[in-house]
Amino acid sequence: MAEQTEVIQTVQNPDVVQKYQMAAEVSNRVLKVVIDAAVEGARILDLCALGDKSIEDGVKNLFAKDKKISKGIAFPTCVSVNQIICHFSPLPSDPEGSEVLKNGDLAKIQLGAQIDGYAAIVATTIVVGASKDKPVKGRLADVITAAHLASEAALRLVKPGLSNDKVTETIQKIAKSFDTNSVEGMLSYQQERNDIEGKKQIILNPNEAQRRDFETVQFGENEVYGIDILISTGEGKPKASSIRTTVYKKTGNTYSLKMKTSRLLFTEISQKFGTFPFPLRALEDEKKARLGIAECANHALVTPYDVYQGKEGDFVAQFFNTVLLTKNGSIKITNTLYDSEVVQSDKKVEDEEIISLLATSLKPKKKNKKKKDDKNSSDAVEEKKDETKDEAKDETKDEQ
């Protein structure tokens, strides 16, 4: 009998790249849907439900004939407003379930789709009611621009052979240029099939204890990263919120649950969501879910995605991109839809090294046009030194 060839499950395999890109197409499209619906008076609960349903609808007809391929939500839709840092996805029964957006709110929208276990997660930040005719200015513009440029810099530094500590350092330098801070201790992860929190990590603005314990690693070819940038107008020190945790993810731990409700719930979680995060509102019976999830969490069968917040009056901006480190260069598969014509900060990056970094292209250079490319690259650095805010807009358009 002929030996079976082991299927490569990294982006070395073109089929894997295709699945990542197909998942990203869904995530990018759904992000636009949620942004368009995020208007004054929109209920946050409805926006989260809209995003999740749109992801499910978006993947439904992909690989429809192959029943073995899982597909669905890689990260449930969260809409975290103003000083709320992340993971806000309320239940209908929560007091926060009736909260609505107001003009001037800074809203962070995060969501993701997965196909066959390959996840494309994206997040962006908008100001409700803002437009080209009514641009964002002042401190909101500062924090959004800082987060956007930090994200763009990180995308250029997460490359084979480079290390995570350089990313951490550069993000905080950019944050300081806008009189802001990256949010202390927040993590970005290497992603693998069915795992959005892999071994290699990037940390934001670590305190002394975190810096001492954190492992410096180098990025490698054929790896995938979810780069999560969170920047605050305040000190950037997160604290646990009193808001109920509603997003969880199954771990690989085992335990014999005592309550029947918990056992049924854990079976439902395993069958519906696998190892990807899920919101409690997606479970069949919300009341039983709230009861059973406690025992599951207490025995580490699931890990909570707690809601974090900054100080009252702080504003936190977020951009999250998924990037593939292929042998031909980095491929940013997500699109945060940032628009520099809507966000207008009067501050700018002045560090020459970072300006040059932001002026480089994410797209791989073509080997057959070395001399021409080198000239164009040199010209581009000079032309773009005063245009760092617009860099990502050009990149995302090119990559769509």
Side-chain angles (χ1 to χ4, degrees), residues 6-285:
E6 185 177 349
V7 177
I8 297 172
Q9 295 186 353
T10 71
V11 293
Q12 184 179 353
N13 183 344
D15 291 338
V16 170
V17 173
Q18 181 191 35
K19 288 171 183 175
Y20 272 117
Q21 291 176 323
M22 291 173 73
E25 287 174 7
V26 174
S27 297
N28 294 336
R29 189 165 60 245
V30 173
L31 182 65
K32 179 69 165 59
V33 168
V34 178
I35 289 173
D36 289 345
V39 298
E40 184 177 28
R43 197 166 63 142
I44 294 175
L45 169 62
D46 294 337
L47 294 175
C48 294
L50 171 66
D52 290 352
K53 183 178 187 305
S54 298
I55 291 171
E56 295 286 6
D57 290 344
V59 300
K60 183 169 54 180
N61 294 323
L62 302 176
F63 295 99
K65 293 181 180 180
D66 193 338
K67 302 302 181 184
K68 293 181 181 179
I69 290 183
S70 67
K71 53 196 176 181
I73 294 170
F75 202 92
T77 307
C78 297
V79 180
S80 305
V81 176
N82 297 331
Q83 79 273 16
I84 302 299
I85 296 171
C86 55
H87 306 153
F88 186 73
S89 192
L91 302 175
S93 59
D94 287 339
E96 298 83 9
S98 60
E99 288 190 9
V100 299
L101 295 179
K102 301 184 293 295
N103 277 337
D105 278 344
L106 182 147
K108 298 165 286 294
I109 303 167
Q110 181 176 4
L111 54 86
Q114 64 89 9
I115 295 174
D116 200 22
Y118 301 107
I121 300 172
V122 64
T124 197
T125 299
I126 64 167
V127 173
V128 179
S131 66
K132 292 178 182 178
D133 296 328
K134 297 179 181 179
V136 182
K137 297 186 177 182
R139 293 301 283 152
L140 293 186
D142 292 344
V143 73
I144 295 172
T145 306
H148 160 68
L149 291 179
S151 178
E152 289 298 309
L155 286 164
R156 288 157 174 76
L157 290 171
V158 178
K159 288 187 173 181
L162 300 183
S163 66
N164 55 352
D165 52 359
K166 181 65 173 178
V167 182
T168 299
E169 175 190 338
T170 302
I171 290 170
Q172 183 64 357
K173 279 185 179 179
I174 292 173
K176 286 298 186 183
S177 298
F178 292 84
D179 193 22
T180 59
N181 282 291
S182 46
V183 178
E184 183 181 284
M186 291 296 173
L187 298 173
S188 296
Y189 292 92
Q190 180 185 0
Q191 294 185 182
E192 298 178 304
R193 189 184 185 201
N194 294 315
D195 186 4
I196 63 169
E197 296 182 3
K199 182 178 180 182
K200 295 183 181 180
Q201 303 172 359
I202 303 164
I203 192 169
L204 298 184
N205 195 15
N207 58 37
E208 285 304 315
Q210 291 166 340
R211 189 181 299 277
R212 185 174 59 249
D213 298 336
F214 199 75
E215 182 183 2
T216 298
V217 295
Q218 286 192 336
F219 309 115
E221 189 175 290
N222 297 319
E223 294 176 347
V224 175
Y225 287 87
I227 303 176
D228 192 7
I229 306 298
L230 290 142
I231 307 290
S232 172
T233 56
E235 295 178 353
K237 295 188 180 295
K239 62 178 182 179
S241 171
S242 59
I243 296 170
R244 183 208 302 272
T245 299
T246 62
V247 178
Y248 293 84
K249 179 172 72 73
K250 188 168 79 75
T251 68
N253 298 326
T254 58
Y255 175 78
S256 181
L257 293 162
K258 303 297 186 286
M259 294 170 52
K260 181 179 179 182
T261 301
S262 303
R263 294 196 298 272
L264 291 173
L265 175 69
F266 189 69
T267 299
E268 183 182 0
I269 290 168
S270 301
Q271 292 175 347
K272 279 187 176 180
F273 311 112
T275 57
F276 289 101
F278 60 90
L280 291 181
R281 66 172 180 277
L283 294 160
E284 188 173 335
D285 189 317

Side-chain angles (χ1 to χ4, degrees), residues 323-343:
V323 61
L324 319 182
L325 308 187
T326 73
K327 67 177 181 180
N328 296 319
S330 300
I331 303 175
K332 183 182 71 160
I333 58 174
T334 46
N335 184 353
T336 63
L337 301 173
Y338 173 83
D339 189 341
S340 62
E341 293 183 33
V342 176
V343 181

